[in-house]
């Protein structure tokens, strides 16, 4: 009885998540391969991300998950196959690359804030120079997003004066200031002390609830359960398994996935 | 009850350190007399300092200021102290200081280099002290590269105006074409065409043939000869390059080399990191060649060899040739210093800039360079100081920098045999300039540091 009730709740939750996802395609990756020198790091990746989808990518280190999302904004260059982001194909055309990068926000493991600029300047730099927004307006937008990540009082400080969690929230705000359509997260909580992970995850959950298209490389399985509508497991440069989170965690199909989950959930 | 269990019942309050570890006594004990061996060293060092200072101060202070020749100096010394040993004859400085400062620049025109020097401070202030000085002074900075040669060499105001207009034209053409590579090339080409046309127009007088004008276009003198000086407004009497000398010359070459080598060095450092094979090869080749050749060799090339390669009849101003060579020399070293700064930046900074959609030049200007240059400040200022001191090498190709002048002062029978006083004065002048640069770099490092952490 309790079991079935839980199931209906889960079903309802999954339905709710599906509701937010539109049919519109945000990212289309077909037959994509990448090598580092002779090393075949991504093999035949096919992935379609719909608008509003929240995807968590997990897998052992060296499995190519970071490389995959870095290919989406061309921090890494793929060699064969096709990546289409918001209808624009990634080629070596610099104009296309800069356009896609301004539509796709990214947060890094080590934040990559600019240490010589204040928090506010970090957030206004790209809108002013890339979007050509007047300084006043860019600052208003920046303060809006800094309030959203709950650190407006730090606006005049420098990144070095903030804690890791605060820096990562600034990094999220900085990306949001460009009003991106897609957000990429590359292990955003891996470099943080345990007590700071929650504040960053809370920010990301809030973002997910607003319907942002998100691709997130993370080992935070709680986060995956709570907000993802698809979990992708990668190993050896390939997508090994993907499924809705409840099914993925309760009933993994492949042996590699089972092994991986037993290792990270085992303790 | 177990020993492992302990609960503090009251917290300890803060206490003063023991009096022997703070204040003057504490400092002396810690730094000079921490044990008997250090105490002996301290006493020995103080004795050595006293020995050197007593000799030096005696020589400097018990000295002759008013004398017209070395012999007169010696007579006064013998009359006052009974010997010529251990006393400086500052009479030579008293007699020739204007020459040491200005070379053979016409004395009635001294106001022009002085004005140029004052304007230099005004032009540097908004760059060096951006947070304290009104940014409106930047107009002076922008105008300075064109005003300074006009003040120093004289001639018509139209020459610097025309040269400046060429830059404006290049900028406008480049902007019209959207900052692309063909835009850049077309901008440069249009500026060069403009300069050829402008300097070819008979606006200047023939005097400019020996001034700034002739250095740009071959055989220009003839077409300019037809107009008289009075026809041009804001005419300044021209001064030929061979009359330049003294500290004025050192500062002139030094400032131009320092001012031009930094941007050139930045471009070379970026070129060396470039993915474009040919650009990279050119930059690496240039840097390695220049660094592999002594500056004196380059100066000889500038003074003698260059004429072989230039079309016959060209009179390429010698000071300009030296400036170019010293600038190229400094730029090669600068490029390597800045490359060190670039290498010190984590790749995350490039990725952060890229991920926000900044293009290459925006990322360099806004993110990479501010940080790379900050890391490189000590190296950059070292290069500046080195280059400023290297300007004394031009005495080898017969330009009258302070050291070259000291030779010609000694060639005068009045001052034949004066060495120490001249060198001491020259050393002091260089020391003031170099020490100033060094202090500024430390100030800048401190300022940029406190802002960041």
């Amino acid at each position: 009885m309790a079991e079935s009730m839980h199931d209906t709740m889960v079903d309802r939750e999954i339905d709710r998540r599906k509701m937010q996802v539109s049919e519109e395609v945000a990212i289309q990756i077909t037959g994509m391969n990448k090598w580092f020198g002779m090393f075949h790091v991504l093999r035949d990746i096919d992935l379609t991300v719909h608008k509003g989808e929240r995807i968590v990518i997990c897998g052992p280190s060296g499995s190519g998950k970071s490389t995959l999302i870095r290919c989406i904004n061309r921090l890494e260059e793929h060699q064969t196959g096709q990546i289409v982001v918001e209808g624009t194909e990634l080629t070596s055309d610099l104009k296309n690359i800069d356009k896609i990068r301004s539509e796709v926000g990214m947060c890094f493991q080590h934040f990559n804030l600019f240490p010589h600029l204040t928090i506010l300047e970090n957030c206004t730099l790209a809108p002013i120079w890339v979007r050509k927004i007047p300084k006043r307006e860019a600052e208003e937008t920046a303060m809006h997003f800094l309030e959203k990540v709950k650190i407006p009082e730090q606006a005049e400080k420098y990144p070095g004066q903030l804690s890791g969690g605060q820096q990562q929230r600034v990094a999220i705000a900085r990306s949001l200031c460009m009003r991106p359509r897609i957000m990429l997260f590359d292990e955003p909580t891996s470099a943080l002390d345990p007590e700071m992970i929650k504040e960053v995850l809370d920010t990301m959950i809030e973002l997910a609830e607003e319907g942002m298209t998100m691709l997130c490389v993370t080992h935070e399985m709680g986060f995956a359960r709570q907000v993802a509508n698809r979990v992708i497991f990668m190993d050896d440069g390939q997508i090994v398994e993907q499924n809705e989170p409840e099914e993925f965690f309760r009933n993994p199909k492949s042996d590699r996935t089972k092994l991986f989950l037993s290792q990270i959930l085992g303790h | 009850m177990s020993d492992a269990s302990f609960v503090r019942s009251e917290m300890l309050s803060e206490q003063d350190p023991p009096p022997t570890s703070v204040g003057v006594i504490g400092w002396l004990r810690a730094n000079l007399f921490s044990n008997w061996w250090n105490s002996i060293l301290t006493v020995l060092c103080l004795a050595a300092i006293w020995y050197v200072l007593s000799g030096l101060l005696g020589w400097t202070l018990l000295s002759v200021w008013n004398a017209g020749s070395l012999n007169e100096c010696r007579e006064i010394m013998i009359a006052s102290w009974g010997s010529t040993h251990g006393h400086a004859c500052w009479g030579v400085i008293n007699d020739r200081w204007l020459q040491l400062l200005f070379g053979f620049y016409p004395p009635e025109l001294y106001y022009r280099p002085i004005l140029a020097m004052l304007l230099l401070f005004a032009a540097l202030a908004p760059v060096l002290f951006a947070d304290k000085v009104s940014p409106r002074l930047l107009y002076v900075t922008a105008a300075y590269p064109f005003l300074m040669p006009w003040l120093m060499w004289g001639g018509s105001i139209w020459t610097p105006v025309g040269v400046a207009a060429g830059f404006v034209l290049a900028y406008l053409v480049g902007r019209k074409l959207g900052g692309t590579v063909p835009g850049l090339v077309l901008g440069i080409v249009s500026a060069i065409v403009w300069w050829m046309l402008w300097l070819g127009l008979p606006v200047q007088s023939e005097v400019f043939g020996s001034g700034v004008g002739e250095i740009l276009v071959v055989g220009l003198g003839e077409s300019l000869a037809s107009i008289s000086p009075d026809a041009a407004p804001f005419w300044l009497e021209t001064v030929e390059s061979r009359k330049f000398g003294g500290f004025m010359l050192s500062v002139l070459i030094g400032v131009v080399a320092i001012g031009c080598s930094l941007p050139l060095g930045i471009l070379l450092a970026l070129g060396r990191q470039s993915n474009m094979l040919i650009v990279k090869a050119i930059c690496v080749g240039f840097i390695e060649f220049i660094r592999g050749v002594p500056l004196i060799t380059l100066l000889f090339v500038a003074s003698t060899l260059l004429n072989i390669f230039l079309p016959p009849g060209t009179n390429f101003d010698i000071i300009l040739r030296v400036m170019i060579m010293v600038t190229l020399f400094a730029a090669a070293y600068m490029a390597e210093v800045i490359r060190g700064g670039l290498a010190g930046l984590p790749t995350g900074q490039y990725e952060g800039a890229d991920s926000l959609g900044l293009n290459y030049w925006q990322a360099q200007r806004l993110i990479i360079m501010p940080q790379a240059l900050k890391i490189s400040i000590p190296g950059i200022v070292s290069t500046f100081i080195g280059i400023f001191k290297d300007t004394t090498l031009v005495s080898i190709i017969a330009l009258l920098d302070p050291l070259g002048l000291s030779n010609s002062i000694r060639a005068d029978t009045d001052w034949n045999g004066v060495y120490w006083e001249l060198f001491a004065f020259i050393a002091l002048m260089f020391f003031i300039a170099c020490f100033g640069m060094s202090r500024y770099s430390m100030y800048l490092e401190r300022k940029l540091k406190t802002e960041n952490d």
Side-chain angles (χ1 to χ4, degrees):
Chain A
M1 180 69 194
E3 180 102 275
S4 70
M5 205 167 131
H6 176 71
D7 275 0
T8 39
M9 273 177 70
V10 168
D11 286 345
R12 229 179 267 153
E13 169 69 11
I14 290 170
D15 283 345
R16 194 179 64 80
R17 289 185 196 179
K18 274 183 185 160
M19 294 277 282
Q20 292 181 16
V21 179
S22 80
E23 287 303 300
E24 219 174 303
V25 173
I27 304 168
Q28 175 87 52
I29 302 175
T30 35
M32 191 258 278
N33 281 280
K34 173 164 179 62
W35 289 262
F36 283 133
M38 295 300 291
F39 176 54
H40 199 170
V41 60
L42 289 177
R43 307 178 195 176
D44 246 347
I45 303 288
D46 288 301
L47 178 65
T48 305
V49 180
H50 293 277
K51 203 157 176 276
E53 253 194 309
R54 279 102 40 209
I55 295 179
V56 163
I57 304 171
C58 59
S61 70
S63 58
K65 49 197 192 311
S66 283
T67 312
L68 172 61
I69 68 164
R70 286 160 62 87
C71 279
I72 293 170
N73 67 352
R74 195 95 170 175
L75 289 182
E76 302 288 354
E77 196 177 324
H78 62 282
Q79 275 104 2
T80 64
Q82 205 184 23
I83 302 177
V84 180
V85 181
E86 294 282 343
T88 312
E89 194 191 341
L90 271 172
T91 56
S92 52
D93 184 344
L94 286 176
K95 282 240 165 77
N96 272 356
I97 294 174
D98 284 339
K99 179 168 176 287
I100 286 171
R101 282 174 177 167
S102 65
E103 304 286 341
V104 178
M106 181 153 192
C107 291
F108 301 86
Q109 183 178 0
H110 297 289
F111 333 131
N112 297 354
L113 295 177
F114 307 129
H116 63 299
L117 300 175
T118 63
I119 300 307
L120 189 63
E121 287 166 342
N122 262 282
C123 292
T124 57
L125 184 93
I128 291 173
W129 289 92
V130 179
R131 291 250 190 270
K132 314 284 182 204
I133 290 172
K135 188 167 178 236
R136 253 284 189 53
E137 205 183 316
E139 281 176 353
E140 278 166 17
T141 313
M143 286 314 291
H144 167 75
F145 283 112
L146 285 175
E147 265 159 38
K148 205 169 133 111
V149 301
K150 303 187 181 64
I151 34 177
E153 71 282 0
Q154 313 281 8
E156 297 306 321
K157 288 193 183 167
Y158 287 88
Q161 297 166 307
L162 269 56
S163 73
Q166 289 174 323
Q167 289 194 43
Q168 192 61 287
R169 283 185 283 153
V170 171
I172 294 172
R174 179 176 77 174
S175 297
L176 292 178
C177 284
M178 287 293 283
R179 310 262 185 198
R181 303 196 200 177
I182 300 165
M183 283 289 289
L184 308 174
F185 293 87
D186 188 0
E187 307 206 23
T189 55
S190 306
L192 296 178
D193 290 337
E195 73 261 37
M196 293 172 185
I197 291 178
K198 188 176 176 298
E199 62 187 51
V200 172
L201 287 181
D202 284 346
T203 309
M204 290 168 66
I205 290 167
E206 202 179 311
L207 201 57
E209 281 166 356
E210 288 168 13
M212 174 68 79
T213 313
M214 291 165 73
L215 271 87
C216 187
V217 172
T218 183
H219 294 136
E220 298 296 332
M221 291 305 137
F223 172 78
R225 278 215 172 89
Q226 197 178 341
V227 303
N229 41 14
R230 188 158 27 137
V231 180
I232 293 177
F233 173 70
M234 285 184 72
D235 197 9
D236 279 339
Q238 303 151 67
I239 294 178
V240 175
E241 186 166 345
Q242 51 175 319
N243 212 332
E244 283 160 358
E246 277 307 317
E247 188 65 12
F248 178 86
F249 289 113
R250 212 166 25 167
N251 195 8
K253 304 286 188 297
S254 92
D255 291 341
R256 285 165 183 267
T257 318
K258 283 177 194 161
L259 180 67
F260 175 75
L261 286 178
S262 74
Q263 275 164 346
I264 65 162
L265 300 174
H267 52 86
Chain B
M1 203 170 132
S2 152
D3 283 347
S5 158
F6 168 75
V7 177
R8 185 176 287 285
S9 54
E10 56 182 292
M11 302 303 281
L12 299 176
S13 60
E14 213 174 281
Q15 288 181 333
D16 286 337
T20 49
S21 68
V22 289
V24 179
I25 296 172
W27 185 87
L28 283 176
R29 275 173 67 105
N31 294 297
L32 297 178
F33 303 101
S34 57
N35 56 39
W36 63 269
W37 172 241
N38 279 353
S39 306
I40 291 175
L41 282 182
T42 301
V43 171
L44 282 177
C45 288
L46 285 177
I49 291 171
W50 169 249
Y51 179 74
V52 172
L53 268 189
S54 60
L56 202 63
L57 287 177
W59 182 76
T60 314
L61 298 176
L62 298 176
S63 54
V64 180
W65 270 100
N66 297 309
S69 71
L70 190 57
N71 286 334
E72 199 184 332
C73 242
R74 288 187 174 140
E75 282 162 22
I76 297 174
M77 282 179 197
I78 293 197
S80 317
W81 302 292
S83 99
T84 61
H85 185 72
H87 304 286
C89 174
W90 296 117
V92 63
I93 307 300
N94 199 3
D95 190 30
R96 297 295 182 96
W97 68 278
L98 279 173
Q99 201 179 19
L100 280 168
L101 292 184
F102 296 104
F104 295 101
Y105 208 86
E108 69 277 12
L109 299 178
Y110 277 170
Y111 75 93
R112 273 159 48 182
I114 292 171
L115 187 61
M117 191 74 191
L118 292 177
L119 279 175
L120 175 66
F121 290 128
L124 284 179
V127 180
L128 298 183
F129 303 99
D131 50 342
K132 293 187 185 126
V133 181
S134 155
R136 248 178 270 164
L137 267 180
L138 278 171
Y139 289 114
V140 180
T141 313
Y144 191 75
F146 309 103
L147 265 181
M148 188 272 283
W150 178 58
L151 278 174
M152 298 297 291
W153 277 277
S156 159
I157 186 80
W158 295 114
T159 307
V161 168
V163 172
F167 282 103
V168 173
L169 185 71
Y171 172 76
L172 289 178
V173 170
R175 216 175 85 144
K176 195 87 185 167
L177 293 169
T180 53
V181 175
L184 191 73
V185 175
L186 263 182
I188 294 170
V189 169
S190 59
I192 291 173
V193 170
W194 164 259
W195 285 325
M196 306 275 265
L197 288 174
W198 176 259
L199 295 168
L201 286 175
V203 182
Q204 301 100 345
S205 83
E206 93 273 21
V207 197
F208 232 86
S210 56
V212 187
E214 185 167 345
I215 58 191
L216 286 163
V217 184
V218 181
L220 198 64
E222 288 139 53
S223 63
L224 302 179
S226 51
I227 280 253
S228 79
D230 312 322
F234 305 112
W235 176 265
L236 285 180
E237 190 180 329
T238 50
V239 179
E240 290 170 41
S241 286
R242 62 185 166 81
K243 292 191 173 164
F244 283 48
F247 274 101
M248 192 187 78
L249 183 64
S250 293
V251 171
L252 185 65
I253 298 174
V255 164
V256 170
I258 284 171
C260 298
S261 66
L262 186 62
L264 199 56
I266 290 174
L267 290 180
L268 282 170
L270 291 179
R272 193 170 184 157
Q273 287 203 325
S274 167
N275 295 326
M276 290 181 272
L277 195 67
I278 296 176
V279 172
K280 185 178 172 148
I282 291 174
C283 291
V284 171
F286 176 86
I287 292 169
E288 296 304 334
F289 172 74
I290 297 276
R291 288 205 308 164
V293 177
L295 178 57
I296 292 182
T297 317
L298 293 177
L299 291 177
F300 274 125
V301 169
S303 81
T304 57
L305 222 57
L306 217 55
N307 284 339
I308 298 172
F309 297 110
L310 291 172
T314 319
N315 181 12
F316 208 138
D317 186 88
I318 179 69
I319 292 183
L320 187 81
R321 277 185 277 172
V322 166
M323 280 173 177
I324 291 173
M325 282 302 181
V326 176
T327 301
L328 295 182
F329 186 79
Y333 280 87
M334 195 59 68
E336 288 298 280
V337 168
I338 291 167
R339 192 167 67 97
L342 288 172
L345 278 192
T347 47
Q349 292 295 307
Y350 293 89
E351 289 177 355
D354 282 348
S355 73
L356 287 169
L358 294 167
N359 66 34
Y360 177 80
W361 292 109
Q362 286 172 337
Q364 289 299 338
R365 184 155 61 101
L366 301 166
I367 309 298
I368 307 303
M369 273 307 146
Q371 297 183 65
L373 291 179
K374 185 190 147 200
I375 301 174
S376 325
I377 287 172
I380 291 174
V381 175
S382 278
T383 312
F384 282 172
I385 289 175
I387 278 302
F388 183 55
K389 290 187 298 181
D390 280 352
T391 57
T392 52
L393 288 175
V394 300
S395 62
I396 286 178
I397 54 166
L399 285 182
L400 293 174
D401 85 302
L403 283 185
L405 270 175
S406 78
N407 283 330
S408 56
I409 289 173
R410 269 193 302 278
D412 187 336
T413 47
D414 281 349
W415 297 112
N416 195 354
V418 167
Y419 286 92
W420 286 97
E421 290 80 355
L422 283 171
F423 289 143
F425 178 72
I426 294 166
L428 180 70
M429 296 297 284
F430 273 102
F431 179 78
I432 290 171
C434 295
F435 188 64
M437 282 192 256
S438 167
R439 295 307 297 185
Y440 175 75
S441 92
M442 287 164 84
Y443 155 83
L444 194 62
E445 275 175 69
R446 243 190 342 266
K447 189 181 90 175
L448 294 178
K449 192 179 172 68
T450 46
E451 277 182 2
N452 276 359
D453 33 36

